[in-house]
Amino acid sequence: ASFLPASIQAGVSVVLVGGGYSAATTLRALVDLAKDGDFPLRVVWLLRKPSSAGPPYAVVPDDPLPARGALVAFANALAAGGAETGRASVAVRRGASVRAVRRDDDSGGVVVEGVCEAAGGGEEEEFVVRPQCLVSHVGFRPDYELARELQVHLCYASEGPMKLASSLLAARVAAERGGDASAAGDCLSQAPPGRDLLTTPEPRFHVLGAKSYGRASSFLLAIGHKQVQGVVALLAEALLPKPSM
């Protein structure tokens, strides 16, 4: 954990923001670090997902990725107050929204302000925490400066190309309506997109890789390989001379 202060023997306080696998991975690493390093660690985990929505992570039955299954079990147990954390004290705040982050000139740390669920799931309450470190796993958005003057129709929600974004959303909704919440969020359950989904209104301009998924976190490298193969085939059909009969 390179973001931790150099001197940590007296203990460290960390605010962790996020509800994805990256946040769970960081949380697992922090707890393990406190066990191995034998120093006190205080973590405040801010989750946007409210308690009424159930566990933070959907469980994939018979998960083909055992490490992911173990990570989900750990994070869900911790959110429910049932995980062993050793010398790490983890406070979970559900329904959280961060309103301000600023530098604390007195301590050299940061000040994090926001609102979250009150204890017992009642009304919202404000919180102010002053950790030494802030770790933010809140996703990313693609940079389309290169294509700003081109005809690229983007999804208003994911900021991915509209054709592919619509297909991904339709597949997710279909899985949720089928009662399989885990499949709706499982990157391994998705099918490679057809090459027609990789075209844009701009002739011969294609968005591939992680950027094609916009804000969505379900992109896999194997999907990117299929995207490249599909676009190369499209370009070959359009640009290579047809064989003479």
Side-chain angles (χ1 to χ4, degrees):
S2 59
F3 52 82
L4 294 179
S7 177
I8 58 177
Q9 297 307 314
V12 172
S13 58
V14 178
V15 165
L16 173 63
V17 185
Y21 292 126
S22 295
T25 300
T26 296
L27 191 61
R28 173 80 268 182
L30 286 171
V31 170
D32 290 344
L33 184 64
K35 291 179 181 178
D36 297 339
D38 193 32
F39 63 89
L41 174 69
R42 298 178 301 280
V43 179
V44 177
W45 185 18
L46 301 181
L47 281 164
R48 181 171 60 179
K49 192 173 186 179
S51 300
S52 59
Y57 299 92
V59 177
V60 178
D62 300 319
D63 196 333
L65 301 177
R68 180 177 64 178
L71 186 66
V72 165
F74 166 78
N76 284 343
L78 197 151
E84 173 59 41
T85 58
R87 299 197 68 186
S89 170
V90 182
V92 182
R93 302 195 178 184
R94 304 291 297 269
S97 175
V98 176
R99 291 181 172 176
V101 177
R102 67 178 186 275
R103 172 67 65 182
D104 188 342
D105 294 330
D106 295 331
S107 67
V110 294
V111 179
V112 183
E113 302 177 4
V115 295
C116 65
E117 291 179 358
E123 297 292 328
E124 282 188 340
E125 64 179 10
E126 296 183 348
F127 66 82
V128 179
V129 288
R130 290 178 168 80
Q132 293 165 277
C133 303
L134 170 64
V135 183
S136 178
H137 289 301
V138 293
F140 101 119
R141 62 189 302 174
D143 181 2
Y144 279 102
E145 191 60 34
L146 176 67
R148 193 63 62 195
E149 299 298 324
L150 302 182
Q151 301 177 69
V152 182
H153 189 194
L154 300 178
C155 173
Y156 67 91
S158 71
E159 293 191 89
M162 182 57 79
K163 285 184 179 180
L164 180 57
S166 298
S167 175
L168 293 173
L169 177 61
R172 185 181 185 92
V173 170
E176 290 176 344
R177 287 179 176 173
D180 192 350
S182 61
D186 183 11
C187 59
L188 295 180
S189 66
Q190 61 184 321
R195 61 187 191 178
D196 58 308
L197 297 178
L198 303 175
T199 60
T200 68
E202 185 70 27
R204 298 177 189 169
F205 183 82
H206 308 273
V207 182
L208 309 180
K211 182 178 285 191
S212 68
Y213 273 49
R215 294 173 180 263
S217 61
S218 54
F219 174 77
L220 293 175
L221 194 56
I223 295 292
H225 294 162
K226 294 292 186 181
Q227 289 179 337
V228 172
Q229 292 172 4
V231 169
V232 168
L234 279 175
L235 294 176
E237 291 177 4
L239 300 177
L240 293 180
K242 302 294 187 295
S244 57
M245 299 300 292

